Every structure is written in structure tokens, then in C-alpha cells.
Amino acid sequence: MEKKGGLKLNIDIIHPDLGIGGAERLIVDAVVEIASHGHNVHIYTAHHDKNRCFEETLSGTFPVTLYGYFLPRHIFQHFHALCAYLRCIFFWPLHVVYAEIFDIVLVDQVSVVTPLMKLKRSPKILRNNGVGIEFIIS
């Protein structure tokens, strides 16, 4: 996972809700492994409860940035998916403005940001479609 010449990659991971669960465990384990090889990994999420999360997300090994945390996670215990999509759409322009240049983006669970990410630059985009991770050539 290195660029030509041995340079380290800048990898952004977009995950809608960084809590405690199987999808989060997969993301955290992947980030820890990638960071252990010296790559710069940054997780962007709309929700990260420091009282209910995996310890690795608090250790400082990689940054976790919150965008859209004030937007609702659900509406009267319904519409969780719709709210996740809306938070990720809200997230996109902030990421375009404030994020550093990245080489690879891993979009987890909410694929609506995939075409939006291509508007910023032509990064390599990986998308977790629930069955496996697919590589999208931009």
C-alpha cells in the first residue's frame, strides 16, 4: 500500500456513526493496521460518543473528526438510514474545504458520498457495499 518511491499514503475513511458494533470494529481494526505501516489515516464521522466507542479511537494513533454531529441520528426512532445519508451529504462540502489532500477514500455504509468525492479530485475510492469492499476507479 505504498506510492511509488516508498511515500506513505493519505487515507480518509468516511463512516456515518463510529460507535460499538461489527462495522465499526472492522473499520477500527483496518485503520490500526494501516497506521501501523506508517500511512496517514483519518476517520471522518458524524457521530463519535467517547463514552461508547472502541478504545483505539481515543488513543490518538489516528485522528477522528466529527462533521454534522448536531444533525439527528433518527427521527422518533425511525429513518436511521435517511438521517445517515443526510449527515453524510452535509459532511461532503466540509470535507472538500477542510480535509487535506488524500490518495484513497474508504466510504463505509453510505455510498451517496462516492460521486460527490469524485468532484473534489480523482482519488481512488473504496466502498464497503455490505458484502465486501469494492474498488471504484475514478
Side-chain angles (χ1 to χ4, degrees):
M1 225 191 207
E2 289 190 28
K3 285 184 177 179
K4 293 177 184 173
L7 298 174
K8 300 302 179 181
L9 295 171
N10 292 316
I11 301 168
D12 285 0
I13 297 179
I14 300 170
H15 189 81
D17 188 338
L18 197 58
I20 296 179
E24 291 78 16
R25 182 76 261 169
L26 173 67
I27 291 300
V28 170
D29 287 347
V31 169
V32 168
E33 183 63 23
I34 293 167
S36 75
H37 290 280
H39 299 289
N40 300 315
V41 185
H42 197 133
I43 295 180
Y44 295 90
T45 186
H47 183 260
H48 183 233
D49 182 351
K50 294 183 179 183
N51 296 316
R52 191 175 182 276
C53 64
F54 291 111
E55 180 65 33
E56 295 92 336
T57 65
L58 302 173
S59 68
T61 304
F62 52 87
V64 174
T65 300
L66 292 171
Y67 286 142
Y69 58 90
F70 59 90
L71 295 169
R73 295 174 61 206
H74 55 80
I75 300 170
F76 302 114
Q77 298 300 322
H78 298 301
F79 306 111
H80 287 84
L82 175 64
C83 289
Y85 269 76
L86 293 174
R87 290 186 318 182
C88 286
I89 289 171
F90 171 81
F91 155 85
W92 172 76
L94 295 173
H95 188 265
V96 168
V97 172
Y98 296 113
E100 296 178 19
I101 299 300
F102 47 85
D103 301 304
I104 297 173
V105 176
L106 172 60
V107 178
D108 191 33
Q109 295 182 353
V110 181
S111 61
V112 70
V113 296
T114 301
L116 298 175
M117 295 308 288
K118 290 181 183 181
L119 295 175
K120 178 178 180 181
R121 225 187 87 186
S122 285
K124 302 299 182 231
I125 299 174
L126 302 172
R127 180 176 63 206
N128 182 358
N129 62 10
V131 178
I133 294 178
E134 55 186 317
F135 182 68
I136 301 169
I137 300 173
S138 21

